[in-house]
Amino acid sequence: MPVIAILGAQWGDEGKGKVVDMLAQQARMVVRFSGGDNAGHSVVNPYGEFKLHLIPSGIFNKDVVCIIGNGVAINPKVLIGEIDNLNERGVTTDNLFISDRAHLIMPYHLLLDGLEEKARGGKAIGTTLKGIGPVFADKIARLGIRAGDLLDKEALRDRLTTIIDYKNTILTKVYKAKPLSLDGVYEQYCQYGERLAPHICETTIMLDEAVNKGEVVILEGAQGALLDPDFGTYPYATSSSPLAAGACLGAGLGPTKLDRAVGVYKAYCTRVGGGPMPTELHDETAELIRERAHEYGTTTGRARRCGWLDAVAARYTSRINGLTGAVITRLDILDILPSLKICVGYELDGKQIGYFPGDIAALARCKPIYEELPGWQTDTTSIRGYDQLPEAARNYISRIEELIACPVNLVSVGPGREQSIEKTPIL
Ligand code: IMP
């Protein structure tokens, strides 16, 4: 039985939540491994419609162990709100565990995210303002507060005293903002600690046990490969790794234990925030996709930028993740189009290239080279068998498989669990 990572293979918002919710029904464990509440995983299932930001999408199965891994940055207030919301709607969270090594988003991270963005002016990254850049910067700078720190109030106060003093210097001297009160932050985080204590523990041992027993373990990604701080469109990137390698690190799993890496791609492209996006459209097709698919951020409500599928980027993310399979989501959004385009190369400074440049200035100059395919103009939302898809839709999927050099496992034609078409098994 496999250990399988479900990964965003574009700029996030690919529909990973739905895929994990589906697969979790056959799993023993689901581990979120990166990001924070900048993510918004939409899940529609018999319990209703949910937007999860931190809790793994496996939570709807009471026998599935759900872990928020060490690689996730947790805003405790958001997490408690999410737990309460699930409980009120009849979903138990007794099966939720939080790695004691996961870093916490503190009030100064939220303040600094906003102040830093403002200071960037016209070069703002367009972050979600959830404190993600500042919390991961502190992790690497060894200034972080971790979930486990909430369990020892004395040590927490000691650590906070030094850190708040330092952060207040930055807030007041660099940004001319008001300082934070040590007592206020301490009291608040002690309360969070009391509430979350039953969930906080060492989580890598239970992960190891599940893996050794051969149980199905799903590593749930957040964001997408093109937002990776190393391989994404840096600096227009997020601050933790959404890649398969990040899955191992953020869950506490040796890379040799990962059996499968499945990339989730939308049938077209979207992006929120700044940074280059070669296939972005500014025409009625973009508008049509945005409205049909309601392409507005789950976390921030911002309108998403929309465009054709970029197979140069898609092949790149397939390669850097070592994908063993792919899921194509939101195929139904394209149902009404008479023809579709796929970007199969770029023209950069008069030359044709087939790779995704690391330099964003070069990427911004890339003009997409398109291949045009006929549309199917058939409603696919109630189709359940791959062979029942219109031929033009199957041709579109086959062409994607060729271009990304990876087989497609699953095609999604709507938000519901049942609106899924298996091509080849994932598990
Ligand atoms: P941050 O992760 O909030 O620092 O934002 C950095 C960049 O990543 C911005 O362009 C965000 O719009 C983008 N981003 C972060 N999380 C998500 C997500 O879940 N979906 C899509 N874009 C995201």
Side-chain angles (χ1 to χ4, degrees), residues 305-384:
R305 301 154 65 189
C306 299
W308 296 118
L309 185 84
D310 183 342
V312 178
R315 183 168 54 234
Y316 166 65
T317 62
S318 169
R319 173 165 61 82
I320 56 173
N321 274 311
L323 293 188
T324 56
V327 176
I328 307 294
T329 61
R330 316 213 81 172
L331 186 77
D332 55 300
I333 300 303
L334 306 179
D335 282 352
I336 59 168
L337 296 175
S339 68
L340 309 166
K341 288 182 183 170
I342 303 184
C343 169
V344 294
Y346 298 143
E347 190 194 305
L348 174 62
D349 303 333
K351 286 198 192 101
Q352 198 168 324
I353 62 164
Y355 65 91
F356 192 80
D359 169 16
I360 55 155
L363 185 66
R365 293 199 304 281
C366 282
K367 295 192 187 75
I369 299 168
Y370 286 119
E371 196 174 280
E372 193 153 356
L373 278 82
W376 44 94
Q377 295 188 288
T378 309
D379 180 0
T380 57
T381 54
S382 45
I383 294 177
R384 300 290 173 264

Side-chain angles (χ1 to χ4, degrees), residues 1-3 28-31 65 67 97 201-219 251-254 257 259:
M1 282 298 202
V3 179
R28 172 72 188 127
M29 188 174 275
V30 179
V31 190
V65 173
I67 295 177
F97 299 91
C201 59
E202 147 63 77
T203 53
T204 61
I205 295 169
M206 47 180 139
L207 173 60
D208 188 52
E209 277 169 10
V211 172
N212 289 338
K213 278 193 203 147
E215 290 175 322
V216 175
V217 174
I218 296 169
L219 307 183
L253 187 81
K257 305 275 180 171
D259 296 302

Side-chain angles (χ1 to χ4, degrees), residues 11-14 16 35-41 113 117 125-134 136 222-224 227 235-240 270-275 297-300 302 304-305:
W11 278 286
D13 309 316
E14 299 91 351
K16 297 172 288 290
D37 65 306
N38 51 348
H41 290 178
D113 201 356
E117 275 289 84
I125 291 164
T127 74
T128 59
L129 301 177
K130 302 292 180 190
I132 301 300
F136 284 111
Q223 288 83 44
L227 289 171
Y236 295 93
T238 191
S239 302
S240 63
T270 64
R271 170 163 208 176
V272 218
T298 315
T299 300
T300 59
R302 290 179 291 176
R304 295 182 185 140
R305 301 154 65 189

